[in-house]
Amino acid sequence: MLLVFPHIRAIVASVLLQPLIASARIHDARQNGTQMTPNQTGFPPCDALISAGLEDRIILATSEAYESRVQSWWSANARLRPWCFVQPQSSQEVSQIIRVLADVSFGAGDWHVAVRSGGHSFPYSNNIANGVTIDLGMMNGSYYNPNTNLASVEPGATWKDVCYNLLHNGNVTVTGGRDGGVGVGGFLLGGGNSYYAGRTGLGCDTVVNFEVVLANGSIVEANAKNNPALCKALKGGGLNFGIVTRCDLLVLPAVDLAYGQSVITSNHSDEVLEAVKDFTDHPEELAADALITVYIYDTAISEDMTIVVIRANTNGDLNTTSFDKINKIPAVTRTWEHLTLADAANGSQIAAGTKNTGLTLTFLNSPSILRKSVFLYNGLVSSLSEKIGPETFYAQMFFQPFPTYFGKLAQRNGGNVLGLDRIPSNAILWTAGVGIKNGDDSALAVAQAALSIMTTELREFASADGAAADLVYLNYADASQDPLGSYGPENVVFMKDVARQVPAESSQKVTSFIQQYFSLLAIYLDVRQLKTYNEVVDLLNAGASKVFVTFEQLKVLSQEPTITPDRLVLTISPNNPQTDIGKLKEFLQNNSQWKSSEWAFNGDKGKEYVDSVLAELENYPPNPDQTIYVGIDKLESGEELLHKYPGDSIIVSSENLTFDKSQDAALISVTDLFLAGAIPDRKNGLYATNVVDERGNALGFVWSSRESVAEAFRTGTGVYQSRKRGLWYKGASSGDTQELISIGFDCDKDCLIFRVRQKGRGFCHLGTASCWGPLNGLSRLNKTLQSRKQDAPQGSYTARLFSDSDLVTAKIKEEANELCEASTKEDIAAEAADLFYFALTKCVAAGVSLESVERNLDLKSLKVKRRKGDAKPQFLQNGNEQHATNGTSDQGSSHGVDAKSLNPEKKETVKEAASVPKSKEDDAGTKNGLIQMKRYSTSEAFSSDTLKTALQRPSQKSNEMIMSLVNPIISDVRSHGDSAVLKYTHKFEKATSLKSPVLKAPFPESLMQLPPETIQAINTSFDNILQFHSAQKESAPLRVETMPGVVCSRFSRPIEKVGLYIPGGTAVLPSTAMMLGVPAMAAGCKSIVLASPPRSDGTVTPEIVYIAHRVGAESIILAGGAQAVAAMAYGTESVTKVDKILGPGNQFVTAAKMIVSNDTTAAVSIDMPAGPSEVLVIADKSADPAFVASDLLSQAEHGTDSQVILIAVDLSGDQLSAIEAELHAQANALPRVDIVRGAINHSVTISVSSITEALHWSNYYAPEHLILQVENAASLLPDIQNAGSVFIGKWTPESVGDYSAGVNHSLPTYGYARQYSGVNLGSFMKHITSSELSEEGLKGLGGAVERLAEVEGLEAHKRAVSVRLKAMGK
C-alpha cells in the first residue's frame, strides 16, 4: 500500500495501512482528550484486556499461576517476566486480543508483544519483559479428520502430545518434531526438520492450510486457493505475518519407526564424520532414513566428549543398509528397535532450566569443514573449561543432513521461503549451543562471546573453501543472526510484499481511511492481490488517487470508461505476482497508449533491473515526462534514479525514513530524498516556493533552503528561508502561523508548493489573506459569512439566517426555484449566486467548511460507478405516471417474443441467448472464421468476477414477461377446456386439421410403424431403463420402535395419475418419453398421460406413440407449451386431470409448471424447474480432442439457448487449439450447424491449473450433464457436489445417458442441480408414514405430548391423550 503527499513526485511512503489507521485514531483521541481505561494493574495493555472481558484469560504477576508459567519456558534466560500473560483458547479470542492491544498503543510507553507456542527456543523469540506475552499454551488440541485425511493441530500443542493423540485416535502421524517438548507453532513456521523430512519435505511443507489471525484482527485461511502468497510466506517466515491458530497437515500411516542411538567415544570422531559425509550424499531412494549426529560435552555424563548418533527409518525397516558405516564404528552402547514416533519424541527431550546460547550455520557437505567444526568445538570446550570451569556448562554440536531433494520436495508441495533450492549441492545444517548450569550471567556472556568467535571462524573457513551456504535456519538462530535475510533476495522481497498486503477483511477500514484523508493525501493503493473487480472499484470510489495494477488487471480496468488512464499505474514485478515480460511486451505493442503511461517497478532490484526491463520493453530511455515509480532502500540509489529519470517517483518504506538524520545515520533523510530531483535557483541556490492555502489559492511567494524544508518537515509548520534573516518561522512574531498540509512541486520541479492552513489575519504582513490582494469568489464569501455569523446583531435577519434552519431552508428552495426558471445568461448567473450564498450560509451555520464542500466535489470527480441519473419522482412533472407495461399482453405467440418490446424500461439481468445466424455474414459463434467458444482463464485478473458472468445461463425473456404470456393461456384452457387447447395447437403448431386434442389408447398400429432397427434400439434402451429404475424400489417398509410400545413406519405408494411432458419443436425426443414413461410404469402409476406437440399434419411421431403403448399410457395430448401443462393440471372434457406433471421444456413450459404447482386449486405437483440443455466437460491432458469436441456438440445441437462449458485442466495453448479445431470441423459436418453456432455464441472454455479448481467451478455451475474426461475420473466422485448426471471416463459419452445406459436424462438445469435430483423412481412415488402405540407406549409418551400441547395452548390436543390415559386408569 502506498501513501503519497499531494503532488509530491520525489518520494512515496510505502507503509502498511493498519498502523496508519491506528495512529490516526490515536492522534484524534489525543486531541479530543479521550481517557484511557481506568487503571487496574498499572499496565495499560493488561488493563485494556481485562476491560474487554478477558480477565479469565489473564495471568498477572500477582496471580498464583504466574510463577509456574514463567518457569515453563525451556531456557532459563527465556523465562522473562511480562506485565501479564494472556492465554486465548480460540482464534476468535486471539483476534479480540490483537484488536484490543492495537487500540491501546498510545500512552502505554515503549512496550511490545511476544507470542509463545511451546516456549522451546532461545531468549527474546517467544517472551517479553516489557509488555504482554500471548501464550498459546491453552490452544493445544490435535484432531484427525478421516474424511479429509488431514490432521488439524493447534499451535500451543507439543509434539509428544500430538503424536500420541493422532496415534490413538486415527492410527496416523505427521511430519512433526523429534523433541517431544517442542511446540507446534514455532516448529512449523520456522521450517520443521523431522525424521520424515526426506519423504515429505520439512514439516512446513506438509501444511496444506493455516488459520491465521492478521495484525488487524481478521481471521483468514491461507492455502493454495485462498491467500496462497501468505501460505507460502508462513512456511519459514515465522510469525511475521500474523498469529497462526491452526495448522492442517497431511498425515502418514502410523508405522513404528526403526529407531536407535549409538553412543561413541571421541577417538572415533573422524570415522563418524566420514559416515556423516557419506550419509548426507545418500540418494532420494533412501529418503526414509534419517540421521542426527550430536557432539556432547557434559561432565555429568563423561569427562570426555561423547558422540551420540540417532538413526531412524520411517518405514520401520530394521534391515536398511543406510547406517552400515555408522554401525561398523565401535560404540559404548547401541540400540535398534521398533518404536512409535510418540515414544521416540518423548524420550528425546533436552533437559530444561539452563541459561542457553546457540548459533547455526549451513555449509556444503565437505569433510574438511566437518573436521574444522570439531576442531573449533574442542577449542570452545577447552576455552570455556578454563574461563568458567568445566562443571559450569555443557556444550552440544549437531550435524543434520540437508540434501538437495529437500528443496525439490518443498517445490512439489507448493514452495516455502527458506530458499533451499538455492543450495547447489547436499549440505549440512550445523548448530552449536552452550548451556550454563548455574545460571550465572557472567558465565553466559563468556559463552556467548566464545561461541560467536567460533561460528565466525567456521563461516569464514567455509567461505574460503567455497562451501558456504546462505541458510540460517530460523528455528536454531540466535537474535544476533538474520535468518529471513539468508533466504535469498527473491524470498526477502516476496515476504516484504506479503507483509505489505492489506487483507480483504480490512477493506472497510481502508475505505474509511481513504475517505478521511483523500483531500490531504494522494493515496495510491497496490491492488495487485485483490481478486475482484468490485474491490478495486470501491477503493477508487472512496477516493484513492491511483491504483497499482498488473497488466492483466489493466486490461480489464481500462475497459471501464469512467476510470481515467491516469488513475492506473502499470506495475512490473519479478514476483508475487510475477510479471510475464513477454506477454506484457505483446500487450504494449497492441496498446501503445500504455507505453507512455505511469509505470511502477516492484521488487527493490535497483536501477540495473529497471534499465534492463525498460530496454526489453523497447521503452529505454523512457520519456522524461513519464512517471516511473521505483522502490529503493538507500538514499544513494534514490538520488541516482531521480537524477537519471526526472519523472521518477521513489517508493520507500516509512520505516527507512527519518526527519532527523542525527538520530539514526542508517535511515534515509526525507529532506535529502525529497530535494534530490529539485532544481534550485542558479543565482542564490535557494528553491522558489509558492505558498497556497488548503483550497489552492496563492498566498505568497517565498524562498526555501534545504534547512528550511527540513525544519518544515520536522515541525509540521510553515518554515522558509529569508535572504536577510535566515530561517523564517512564519507567524513566530505576528501570531499568523501556518499548519503545513503538504509540500510538492510544480510541473518542472523548479518551484516548491507549500500547501498550508493559514491561521490569524492572513499570510501578508499587511494583515490580508494573500500578498496578491483580497480573496475572491467563494473564498471571500465564506470569510464574510463567518464574520457575519459572529457579529450579526441578535434578532436581525442575518442572525436569523444562522439560527433559524426553517428560514434558510426556505430561502434555498426559493432561490433554487428561481434558478430553474431563469433563462438568460445574466439571470442564471445572478440566481446561481443567490443560491450559492444561502447554501454556503447553511454550511457556515452548521460549522461545515468550504474545504469540506470542495472535498466532496473532488470525490465526485473520482467516482467510477455512478448512480443512475434519474431524479426523484416528486421532482418529475409526470412523477405519478406508470411507465411499465408488465402484466398486460395480448395472447400472441409464446414463441420468440421480444421482451424489450413488451417492457422497454426493463433491463435484462442475464445475457440473452443467441439466435440462429441470419446470414453468412453473421459471425455468431465464430472467431476469425472458426466456430469457437470464448476462452477464459483463472489466471487472468478478476477471474472470479469474469467467470461468474461468463457462466450465466442464456435467457431470451424476463420472468415477468414470460409470466404475462403464460398466465392468459392457462386461464383460457382452465375456462374453455378442449376448445382452448385446440385453438393454441392450431395457432402454434399449425395443425389446423385436428378435431380433438387427445389421442386415446389403444393406439392404432398405423401410428406406430417404425423400422425394425429403430424398434430394436428403443427396446434395448427401454429394458435398461426399466432394469435400473426397478432396482430403486424399496425392499420393505421402514419400521422403527422409537421407544417401548411406540412404532413408527414409512411405506411408499405410487402416484396414481401422472402427466408426462415430451418436448417437440426443433428435435424429436422419443428418448424423453422413455425416461418418463418407463419409471412411471415401474412405479405402478395407474394413469399415465403423455403430452407432446403434434406435427403440422396433426400426428405424433410414431416413436412416441410406440413408447406410449409400451408403458401403458391412457392417452397422448396433442399439444405443447403452457396449454398442454394447463390441460393436465386442471383437466378438460377429454384430458384426465393428473396429480403430478413431469418433463422438460422451454421457458414457457417451465413457467406454466411453476404457476399451476403454486395454485392450490389445481392440486398438482411438478418434478423440477427445467430449462435448455447444458453440459460441462472437464478435460485434462489425457483427453482425446475429438471426444471432447463431440461431447460439447452433442448438447449444443439441442437449441440456440443451450450452453456448453469446457474446463481445461492445465492444457497448453496447442492442446486447446487441437480441441477447438476438432469442434470446428465436427460442427460444420452437422446438419444443425446453425443451431450449434447459436449455442456456441454463449458457451465458454475455462483454463484452470488444477483438478481442484476445475471441480470448484463445476460445482459452482451445477451442470445438468457433467463429463469427466480425465485420468482416474472415478476418484473425483466424492468431490462432486452439484450435477444432474455424471459421465465418467473417455468411453462414456453423454449420449449413452440420453438414450440407452439406463440412467435418466430428465435432469435439473439452470443450476437447479444444487437443490434437485434428476427424475428417478422416487419421482413417481410418495411416502406415507404411520405410527402405532400400545397401551404401554402411550403411558410412556403421553406426559410429554400433554406438556407440549399445553405449552402451545392447544387444549384439544392435550385432551386427546388425557382421555386415553384416564381410561387406562393412570
Side-chain angles (χ1 to χ4, degrees), residues 1010-1021:
L1010 293 168
E1013 57 269 23
T1014 302
I1015 292 176
Q1016 178 60 41
I1018 290 175
N1019 289 344
T1020 298
S1021 302

Side-chain angles (χ1 to χ4, degrees), residues 75 115 299 363 603 849 1134 1279 1309:
S75 177
V115 182
T299 56
F363 47 78
S849 68
S1134 304
D1279 296 315
T1309 63

Side-chain angles (χ1 to χ4, degrees), residues 764-998:
C764 185
H765 70 286
L766 298 177
T768 58
S770 167
C771 290
W772 313 115
L775 297 174
N776 293 310
L778 291 175
S779 295
R780 185 171 185 173
L781 176 60
N782 188 53
K783 281 196 171 293
T784 300
L785 290 173
Q786 288 175 337
S787 175
R788 288 180 179 176
K789 180 181 179 182
Q790 292 179 345
D791 302 336
Q794 189 172 3
S796 67
Y797 171 72
T798 301
R800 286 176 56 212
L801 282 176
F802 293 108
S803 61
D804 188 345
S805 61
D806 290 339
L807 175 61
V808 74
T809 299
K811 293 300 295 181
I812 290 173
K813 290 181 178 179
E814 176 187 327
E815 298 302 338
N817 188 61
E818 291 178 1
L819 175 60
C820 292
E821 294 177 351
S823 57
T824 68
K825 291 182 179 180
E826 294 78 7
D827 287 347
I828 292 173
E831 297 302 339
D834 288 344
L835 182 59
F836 285 154
Y837 177 89
F838 289 107
L840 199 51
T841 298
K842 183 175 179 68
C843 291
V844 171
V848 176
S849 68
L850 185 56
E851 180 188 1
S852 296
V853 175
E854 291 183 330
R855 181 174 67 186
N856 280 278
L857 287 173
D858 291 339
L859 185 58
K860 292 182 185 300
S861 71
L862 296 174
K863 290 291 185 183
V864 174
K865 293 185 297 185
R866 293 181 171 87
R867 294 181 301 172
K868 190 176 178 181
D870 295 344
K872 293 180 179 179
Q874 62 265 35
F875 296 111
L876 293 172
Q877 290 183 349
N878 299 317
N880 294 323
E881 294 181 6
Q882 296 294 320
H883 297 281
T885 60
N886 281 358
T888 60
S889 169
D890 64 24
Q891 297 174 18
S893 170
S894 60
H895 301 280
V897 180
D898 184 358
K900 293 181 179 178
S901 68
L902 288 172
N903 185 10
E905 297 296 318
K906 178 68 177 177
K907 184 176 180 181
E908 292 287 339
T909 58
V910 294
K911 57 188 177 187
E912 292 190 6
S915 60
V916 172
K918 299 173 179 61
S919 66
K920 291 183 178 179
E921 290 73 30
D922 188 342
D923 62 356
T926 66
K927 181 179 180 182
N928 299 324
L930 298 176
I931 298 174
Q932 185 174 316
M933 303 188 297
K934 298 179 184 70
R935 283 192 192 183
Y936 297 91
S937 172
T938 55
S939 65
E940 295 171 350
F942 313 124
S943 61
S944 180
D945 292 340
T946 303
L947 293 183
K948 286 176 182 177
T949 301
L951 291 175
Q952 285 181 337
R953 267 77 172 185
S955 175
Q956 295 93 356
K957 311 294 184 297
S958 70
N959 285 336
E960 291 179 358
M961 196 281 300
I962 292 173
M963 293 299 185
S964 70
L965 292 174
V966 170
N967 267 312
I969 295 173
I970 292 175
S971 297
D972 195 9
V973 172
R974 186 175 183 183
S975 300
H976 300 102
D978 284 354
S979 64
V981 175
L982 275 174
K983 178 178 70 173
Y984 291 115
T985 301
H986 292 167
K987 181 176 183 178
F988 297 141
E989 318 305 339
K990 311 303 180 186
T992 54
S993 62
L994 272 181
K995 304 301 181 186
S996 170
V998 176

